Amino acid sequence: MAHLKKNTRGAVPGLAVHFERKTDHHTNKDIDVSKTYLNQDLMTDGSDMLSRFNERLNDVYCMKRDDVKALATWIVTLPEELTEAPYEQQSAFFEATTNFLNGRYGQENAVAAVVHYDETTPHLHYAFVPVVFDDKKTRYKVSAKEVLTRHDLQTFHEDLDQDLKKGLPFYEKGILNNKTLPFENVAEIKKYNDQFNALKDELADVEENIRAKQAVLKITDQALTEVDLAEKQIDDFKQDLSKNLFGKTVLKPDDLDRFKSVLATMKKATLQSQNETEELKQTLRQVKAQLAAVQEDYQKLKAAHQTLQADQREKQKMDYMMRDMLKNDYGVDKLSFTDVEARYVLYKLDHEELTKNKKTAQSWLKTLTTAREDPDTKIAPSRLDWGIEQVKALINRIIELTRDIFKGPSL
């Protein structure tokens, strides 16, 4: 979620080139230059990262050594729960994170706060000079060791998480437990993943068992051939004994029959081993068939997820276009989240896309009422009043309908 790095002075120019996209020749293959225009610089003083860095170093004491860690950088990645969120919520998350970092390390020490939307996952690069006050020499100095202590790093994520939860109403799960994937079929995909892995393990066990049985079968097949040959030799030997009128028999025919019985038992055991091996082969075929079915379902879900992601990207592009139009054509720099939610409800009412769920209708009423009480709303009060009355009437209809259903037919 968040990653810290301490940098020497020599690394700063290269970091500035990357953060501020000062080149079109990127070594990072994940950068999509067609989306670079979406990136945000949250420091709007008209300066640049390198100038701010040099200016801050001129104001404080810093040892003249090449190995001094004169710049610290945090990379804060957008939580997975906000991956599919509207641009406004994502932007609000990064702005709130920047405010937290400014408060923790001192806004006067910040030299860069850039949000990159042109890579795989949106993320914030926050760079600052780690400065503390030297009580002995009564001056400010650069000391990453004293600023970024073990305690600071141990409490960072929890402090950031709590701060964001206080300031962002849409931020609920938190950065410490945001392991959910950004698509609706996650539960099914996890189920198939678990089943897929279990079947692979079972298949490996079955194959190993079959290999062992086949090794035994190879030996028993050879023994079976020898048993068949011995049986034939015994029959011939008994026949020869019955024709011998003068010689004495060393073995009685009954003894030979018992020996033949032993050999027959060996043959039976070999045949049983063959049957068990055939049963294992049948089990193997069944497991492979189940595995193929799971793989097919998994691929379908994966394709559905890719389609959902593609649709979301298209919606995100449209969102960026609309915001660009509002900003450059109509001078609207910011649209509050309250107004966005309220306009969504009004759109539903305008197009008669009415809900039949009482809880949903009540949330609509709360949204419109909140917008009506907001002094900074851009929605006309009369339009909000109309929407509130419409939703109240809708709630009454839902209540009446529910009452009639539970009342049942009259007797």
Side-chain angles (χ1 to χ4, degrees):
M1 165 58 201
H3 174 71
L4 172 71
K5 185 177 181 181
K6 302 173 187 178
N7 310 273
T8 62
R9 261 182 291 208
V12 176
L15 291 173
V17 170
H18 174 70
F19 290 178
E20 299 175 330
R21 296 293 192 257
K22 291 184 177 181
T23 179
D24 294 330
H25 304 289
H26 303 291
T27 56
N28 186 350
K29 301 303 181 183
D30 291 332
I31 296 176
D32 185 350
V33 294
S34 66
K35 296 181 180 179
T36 299
Y37 76 96
L38 300 173
N39 294 346
Q40 288 181 289
D41 187 349
L42 300 181
M43 299 188 69
T44 57
D45 58 0
S47 182
D48 60 17
M49 175 178 168
L50 199 55
S51 299
R52 298 187 198 106
F53 175 73
N54 291 328
E55 183 178 349
R56 187 53 179 156
L57 281 191
N58 289 333
D59 294 337
V60 299
Y61 172 74
C62 183
M63 288 190 296
K64 306 296 183 181
R65 286 173 41 181
D66 293 339
D67 60 344
V68 173
K69 305 298 184 181
L71 184 76
T73 55
W74 276 106
I75 300 178
V76 182
T77 305
L78 186 73
E80 291 171 347
E81 67 170 283
L82 298 180
T83 303
E84 309 297 336
Y87 172 84
E88 183 182 52
Q89 291 187 9
Q90 294 184 1
S91 179
F93 168 83
F94 288 122
E95 289 180 9
T97 301
T98 300
N99 292 335
F100 168 81
L101 292 167
N102 285 337
R104 194 175 184 93
Y105 301 113
Q107 187 171 356
E108 68 278 7
N109 298 318
V111 299
V114 180
V115 181
H116 287 167
Y117 288 97
D118 58 356
E119 296 184 50
T120 305
T121 303
H123 56 274
L124 166 70
H125 287 286
Y126 182 87
F128 66 99
V129 179
V131 175
V132 295
F133 187 74
D134 189 339
D135 292 324
K136 292 182 179 180
K137 298 185 177 181
T138 62
R139 65 184 180 186
Y140 287 97
K141 68 175 182 180
V142 175
S143 177
K145 181 179 180 180
E146 294 179 62
V147 174
L148 301 165
T149 62
R150 180 187 296 269
H151 178 264
D152 178 76
L153 300 180
Q154 288 176 339
T155 60
F156 179 86
H157 285 84
E158 178 68 29
D159 292 346
L160 174 59
D161 186 60
Q162 295 302 320
D163 187 79
L164 293 174
K165 284 180 178 178
K166 291 178 182 178
L168 301 177
F170 57 84
Y171 180 78
E172 298 176 353
K173 295 181 180 178
I175 62 175
L176 301 181
N177 58 354
N178 63 331
K179 301 304 181 184
T180 53
L181 296 175
F183 44 86
E184 297 174 358
N185 292 322
V186 59
E188 294 180 58
I189 289 181
K190 184 180 185 304
K191 178 188 72 175
Y192 280 109
N193 267 334
D194 294 342
Q195 187 178 358
F196 180 79
N197 291 329
L199 285 172
K200 282 203 301 185
D201 293 340
E202 183 179 348
L203 178 62
D205 291 340
V206 171
E207 289 178 334
E208 179 63 28
N209 200 350
I210 286 177
R211 282 193 292 271
K213 289 290 185 179
Q214 286 176 335
V216 174
L217 181 62
K218 183 176 181 180
I219 296 173
T220 52
D221 280 344
Q222 183 177 356
L224 183 62
T225 301
E226 294 175 357
V227 168
D228 288 338
L229 179 61
E231 285 181 337
K232 184 177 184 302
Q233 291 175 341
I234 289 172
D235 287 338
D236 293 341
F237 185 49
K238 284 181 64 176
Q239 186 176 0
D240 291 340
L241 285 176
S242 64
K243 291 179 181 180
N244 191 344
L245 300 176
F246 305 102
K248 296 180 179 179
T249 59
V250 178
L251 293 175
K252 296 179 181 179
D254 290 343
D255 293 331
L256 293 176
D257 287 338
R258 282 195 296 272
F259 179 55
K260 186 174 181 180
S261 176
V262 171
L263 294 178
T265 301
M266 290 176 60
K267 183 175 182 179
K268 181 180 179 181
T270 302
L271 292 175
Q272 183 177 354
S273 177
Q274 287 179 320
N275 291 334
E276 290 177 354
T277 301
E278 186 58 38
E279 290 176 359
L280 284 172
K281 288 182 178 179
Q282 179 65 26
T283 302
L284 176 62
R285 285 192 289 269
Q286 292 174 354
V287 171
K288 285 185 174 179
Q290 293 175 8
L291 185 60
V294 170
Q295 285 177 318
E296 183 180 356
D297 291 342
Y298 180 82
Q299 291 301 323
K300 289 179 180 178
L301 285 172
K302 186 177 180 181
H305 169 50
Q306 291 172 343
T307 301
L308 287 172
Q309 283 188 317
D311 291 344
Q312 184 61 36
R313 285 194 293 270
E314 288 301 317
K315 291 177 181 178
Q316 192 76 51
K317 290 180 182 177
M318 182 59 69
D319 181 63
Y320 292 145
M321 291 169 58
M322 295 302 295
R323 291 179 184 279
D324 182 75
M325 179 183 70
L326 289 172
K327 180 178 180 180
N328 295 296
D329 296 344
Y330 297 97
V332 179
D333 290 329
K334 189 172 182 180
L335 195 63
S336 71
F337 180 67
T338 301
D339 272 15
V340 172
E341 284 192 319
R343 290 179 187 278
Y344 172 78
V345 174
L346 291 171
Y347 175 86
K348 290 285 188 181
L349 295 174
D350 285 338
H351 294 78
E352 297 185 356
E353 297 180 9
L354 306 180
T355 181
K356 297 180 181 179
N357 185 285
K358 180 183 174 182
K359 186 176 180 180
T360 301
Q362 289 174 334
S363 71
W364 286 7
L365 180 60
K366 181 179 178 181
T367 297
L368 295 177
T369 303
T370 301
R372 184 66 176 85
E373 296 171 353
D374 184 1
D376 297 325
T377 182
K378 300 295 189 297
I379 307 174
S382 59
R383 180 159 166 71
L384 288 170
D385 290 338
W386 171 84
I388 290 172
E389 293 304 318
Q390 292 293 317
V391 175
K392 285 181 178 179
L394 174 61
I395 293 174
N396 288 334
R397 290 199 298 272
I398 294 174
I399 293 174
E400 289 295 330
L401 179 60
T402 304
R403 185 180 296 126
D404 292 342
I405 292 175
F406 280 99
K407 185 185 300 182
S410 58
L411 298 177

